[in-house]
Amino acid sequence: MYDLGGGSVVARRLCQFSGYYNLQLFNSVRNLNSRTLDLILSNLPVVEVTRDSVPLVPEDLVHHPALSMNLIVDTPHDQQMSPGIHSAYDFRRADYFSLYEMLRDSDWSGLYQLRDVDEAVDFFYGVIHSCFDATIPKKIINGKGSKYPPWFTAEIIRLLKKKNRYARKKNFSDYHKNQFLRLRRDVKALIAVAYQTYVNCVQINIRNNSKEFWKFANGKHSAGDICEKMVLDVEVFIGSEVPAGFAAFFQSVYTPITACYGTEVDDNFQHIGSIGGLNISSSSEQDILLAIKSLKPRTSPGPDGIPSFVVKGCGELLVGPLKYLLDLSLRMSHFPSKW
């Protein structure tokens, strides 16, 4: 790179800017005058910089040839595009046969050489997500969700929008005002019926669809529902003291269960570590497979983006790496940060 430190004020500022961001010059393509006028500065690994044979705009071949460069960019899988909007795997359109083949043929030898728990977990997810990227397309998800309650029907939403339009014009004439009042009355009546129908359905299906019940219950949380005063025996808890009152009550009725552990241990029992005096053995592939089979297939993916039905379908392929991760975590007495 040219010595900019002894140049003009602009050159010195460019030198300081490059040093501050650890930028390096990668362009070595010369123009027809055998000079390099265009700068390509980057603090990311640049594989190569070449002259682009198919430029997008007309090319100044004499002074500024069109350039093409390849970068290595490590983008986290959980990186959000913008607030409320993110990309996710579209498992409805996945090629599961190819996914199974890729996981079957994956090389896990590098995982078994790692002794750091977090590095091993990163390696595990790297293999999984590379298989996902090759076999599962992605979709854009708006995390904001619907602004209407779940009991709002399409007819209610339509009339609600119509009512809002008349609300903006109700002062123009009696006609607009009467239409607004009529729609407001009709919408209130429809909402009351729809709400009662929704609550009845939630109650009837609470055994078969408990998820919908908890969705309804969580939606009822608001600041106005917080108890302002609590009386426990003769003591009164007010405002922010109410949680302490509940804690005192639960502590008064709680009876600890004393667990007795045998002191004799089989010589063939392989121990990895001891936590609080309790011996922890290594996991077995059979135990892991039983745990995988107990997963509920309809649960949503967690932060790692791996749904449970994929883990169940590929359990025999993942049991080896999972066993190593669990044993390594026990051996090092370290819980993976990503978990």
Side-chain angles (χ1 to χ4, degrees), residues 297-318:
R298 297 184 62 181
T299 54
S300 301
D304 57 8
I306 305 177
S308 56
F309 71 85
V310 173
V311 180
K312 294 190 71 169
C314 304
E316 68 275 11
L317 305 178
L318 301 176

Side-chain angles (χ1 to χ4, degrees), residues 166-304:
Y166 278 103
R168 293 190 292 267
K169 302 177 181 179
K170 64 181 180 179
N171 295 328
F172 292 169
S173 66
D174 291 338
Y175 169 79
H176 292 93
K177 181 178 180 180
N178 293 333
Q179 290 294 322
F180 164 72
L181 295 175
R182 180 184 63 82
L183 288 170
R184 185 176 65 176
R185 181 180 64 252
D186 294 344
V187 168
K188 285 184 176 181
L190 289 174
I191 290 177
V193 173
Y195 176 77
Q196 191 59 47
T197 303
Y198 174 79
V199 171
N200 292 338
C201 291
V202 170
Q203 292 176 344
I204 294 173
N205 299 320
I206 189 171
R207 290 182 178 272
N208 300 326
N209 191 4
S210 59
K211 181 179 180 181
E212 192 66 25
F213 166 76
W214 288 113
K215 178 181 177 181
F216 171 75
N218 291 332
K220 301 294 289 183
H221 290 172
S222 64
D225 296 329
I226 299 176
C227 179
E228 296 183 356
K229 185 174 71 171
M230 173 186 176
V231 179
L232 179 61
D233 295 331
V234 296
E235 189 173 2
V236 179
F237 298 89
I238 300 176
S240 61
E241 300 176 351
V242 172
F246 278 101
F249 169 75
F250 289 125
Q251 186 178 8
S252 65
V253 299
Y254 173 71
T255 302
I257 300 176
T258 304
C260 298
Y261 301 96
T263 56
E264 296 183 0
V265 180
D266 189 354
D267 294 338
N268 296 326
F269 196 76
Q270 181 184 4
H271 297 280
I272 289 183
S274 177
I275 302 177
L278 175 63
N279 291 316
I280 306 296
S281 68
S282 62
S283 58
S284 68
E285 293 189 356
Q286 185 63 26
D287 290 337
I288 296 176
L289 286 175
L290 289 175
I292 290 176
K293 290 180 180 179
S294 67
L295 294 174
K296 296 181 179 180
R298 297 184 62 181
T299 54
S300 301
D304 57 8

